[in-house]
């Protein structure tokens, strides 16, 4: 029987240098899309997929993340005094049941695989999810929930996948397809950041994973790969040889690369336009901006 996935790892140890100077004093994951930090979108998605235990792999300078998911007695008391029930209600999304959230520090940046490995004792012998909060996915049914449903059919290891422009493939983990079944793809190889000429396809790995405890064991070997880092992709690829149990999942939804400035801006526009309270004003501002820009050309 397939075991339920109830634990998720959120690797959030990165320095976020692409967003300096902002990330000099705030973690990248606290940067906001409209009015919620990136990490909130990741947590909401995990909750929708049935995750009950949230494991953050952090580093020095990330304490704002811990505060975000803690109670805020001063703010809450003030809101209560002023009768601001709607704002008190809104804060509930940041509440975590005691013991549901854990923080582990990755002392040295040694790659995504190493970050995931840091959580091994909390994962034990269970399947687990990994969510990279930089990849924000707007979807009717949250992406990880779609994957949990697909996992119900396949079991094993599933990675979110998306077709990218061939010249962009070398920025990703890339799948070598054994059998294409539409939304589910059976995988026969995986390469992290392949050279343009060596990419086995243009089906790229996006930051959502459901993995077996075997992958954690593979990470125990701490083998370095692309960029001299311990790569999660390599530990998953090792499972192809060992069990053949690796699948790609073409999710339904739009992915934004919030690890890049352009992607973050695009997500801001998309999420702003998706909001009932902002749409009209924001849309007319955007079209005005476009008209001004066209006129200037
Ligand atoms: C990581 C993974 C890569 C994946 C990507 C998705 O790379 O190593 O396999 O395709 O996330 O966003 P990073 O973007 O951290 O370099």
């Amino acid at each position: 029987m397939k075991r339920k996935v109830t634990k998720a790892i959120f690797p959030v140890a990165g320095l976020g240098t692409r967003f300096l100077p902002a990330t000099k004093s705030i973690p990248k994951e606290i940067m906001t899309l409209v009015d919620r930090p990136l990490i909130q979108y990741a947590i909401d998605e995990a909750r929708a997929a049935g995750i009950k235990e949230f494991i953050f792999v952090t580093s020095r300078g990330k304490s704002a993340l811990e505060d975000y998911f803690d109670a805020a007695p001063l703010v809450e008391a003030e809101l209560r005094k002023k009768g601001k029930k709607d704002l008190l209600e809104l804060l509930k999304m940041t509440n975590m049941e005691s013991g549901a959230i854990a923080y582990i520090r990755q002392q040295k940046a040694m790659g995504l695989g190493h970050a995931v490995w840091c959580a091994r004792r909390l994962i034990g012998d269970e399947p687990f999810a990994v969510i990279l909060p930089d990849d924000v996915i707007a979807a009717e049914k949250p992406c990880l929930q779609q994957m949990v449903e697909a996992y119900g059919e396949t079991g094993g290891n599933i990675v979110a996948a998306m077709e990218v422009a061939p010249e962009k493939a070398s920025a990703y983990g890339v799948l070598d397809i054994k059998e294409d079944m539409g939304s589910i793809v059976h995988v026969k190889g995986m390469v992290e950041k392949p050279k343009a000429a060596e990419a086995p396809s243009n089906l790229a790995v996006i930051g959502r994973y459901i993995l077996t405890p075997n992958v954690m064991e593979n990470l125990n070997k701490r083998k370095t790969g692309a960029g001299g880092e311990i790569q999660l992709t390599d530990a998953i690829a090792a499972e192809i040889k060992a069990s053949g149990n690796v699948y790609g999942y073409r999710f339904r939804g739009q992915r934004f690369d919030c690890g890049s400035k352009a992607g973050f801006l695009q997500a801001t526009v998309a999420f702003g336009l998706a909001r009932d309270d902002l749409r009209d004003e924001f849309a007319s501002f955007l079209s005005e901006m476009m008209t001004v820009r066209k006129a200037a050309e």
Side-chain angles (χ1 to χ4, degrees):
M1 213 186 80
K2 277 163 227 120
R3 291 174 70 180
K4 256 184 112 181
V5 186
T6 58
K7 297 179 176 176
I9 301 174
F10 301 82
V12 288
L15 289 177
T17 47
R18 277 194 271 179
F19 284 95
L20 280 169
T23 46
K24 185 181 169 203
S25 65
I26 52 159
K28 177 175 63 172
E29 299 77 16
I30 288 290
M31 293 189 0
T32 52
L33 282 179
V34 190
D35 52 10
R36 297 186 203 178
L38 280 188
I39 196 64
Q40 183 72 56
Y41 292 89
I43 291 288
D44 288 349
E45 189 178 326
R47 281 179 172 145
I51 299 298
K52 304 281 182 241
E53 291 180 52
F54 306 83
I55 304 163
F56 283 59
V57 181
T58 69
S59 60
R60 189 168 284 272
K62 297 276 182 167
S63 47
L65 276 168
E66 297 186 33
D67 292 341
Y68 181 78
F69 289 110
D70 198 355
L74 282 181
V75 182
E76 285 163 21
E78 192 65 23
L79 293 176
R80 226 168 279 126
K81 210 167 84 192
K82 293 195 172 139
K84 303 222 159 160
K85 286 205 185 115
D86 50 339
L87 291 181
L88 278 166
E89 189 58 34
L90 189 70
L91 280 184
K92 282 194 181 150
M93 68 169 85
T94 67
N95 291 354
M96 282 282 178
E97 199 195 331
S98 292
I101 192 160
Y103 301 91
I104 289 176
R105 280 204 183 187
Q106 183 191 30
Q107 283 94 347
K108 242 172 127 187
M110 291 169 71
L112 178 60
H114 179 263
V116 167
W117 176 79
C118 288
R120 67 200 175 281
R121 292 200 172 88
L122 292 179
I123 295 297
D125 190 29
E126 286 183 44
F128 59 99
V130 178
I131 295 189
L132 309 187
D134 270 4
D135 280 332
V136 175
I137 300 173
E140 219 162 279
K141 183 182 283 182
C143 180
L144 192 65
Q145 191 184 346
Q146 296 177 37
M147 289 172 71
V148 164
E149 289 173 10
Y151 170 80
E153 287 174 36
T154 61
N157 303 278
I158 309 193
V159 303
M162 181 181 101
E163 254 78 36
V164 296
E167 67 276 11
K168 296 264 171 74
S170 47
Y172 296 89
V174 178
L175 301 181
D176 195 354
I177 300 169
K178 180 177 174 196
E179 195 190 349
D180 198 331
M181 297 167 277
S183 56
I184 298 174
V185 172
H186 202 173
V187 169
K188 66 173 179 209
M190 270 175 96
V191 201
E192 180 68 14
K193 315 251 158 63
K195 292 201 186 89
E198 288 162 18
S201 74
N202 65 335
L203 191 57
V205 177
I206 299 304
R208 302 288 183 275
Y209 308 77
I210 295 177
L211 302 173
T212 56
N214 287 354
V215 171
M216 210 48 112
E217 268 170 43
N218 299 340
L219 286 170
N220 264 330
K221 300 188 184 110
R222 308 229 263 155
K223 260 182 33 199
T224 50
E229 298 191 330
I230 299 172
Q231 296 293 352
L232 183 58
T233 298
D234 296 341
I236 303 169
E239 272 313 287
I240 299 172
K241 276 197 208 102
S243 66
N245 242 343
V246 179
Y247 302 88
Y249 178 75
R250 286 192 184 93
F251 56 92
R252 293 177 301 281
Q254 192 177 5
R255 174 255 185 178
F256 297 94
D257 175 11
C258 289
S260 80
K261 286 173 208 161
F264 205 102
L265 286 171
Q266 288 159 18
T268 300
V269 171
F271 281 83
L273 289 175
R275 283 273 293 258
D276 292 342
D277 55 336
L278 299 169
R279 184 180 305 113
D280 293 348
E281 191 183 343
F282 191 39
S284 65
F285 169 76
L286 286 176
S287 68
E288 224 171 87
M289 290 291 281
M290 294 314 293
T291 321
V292 172
R293 198 183 142 189
K294 272 203 192 110
E297 271 167 11

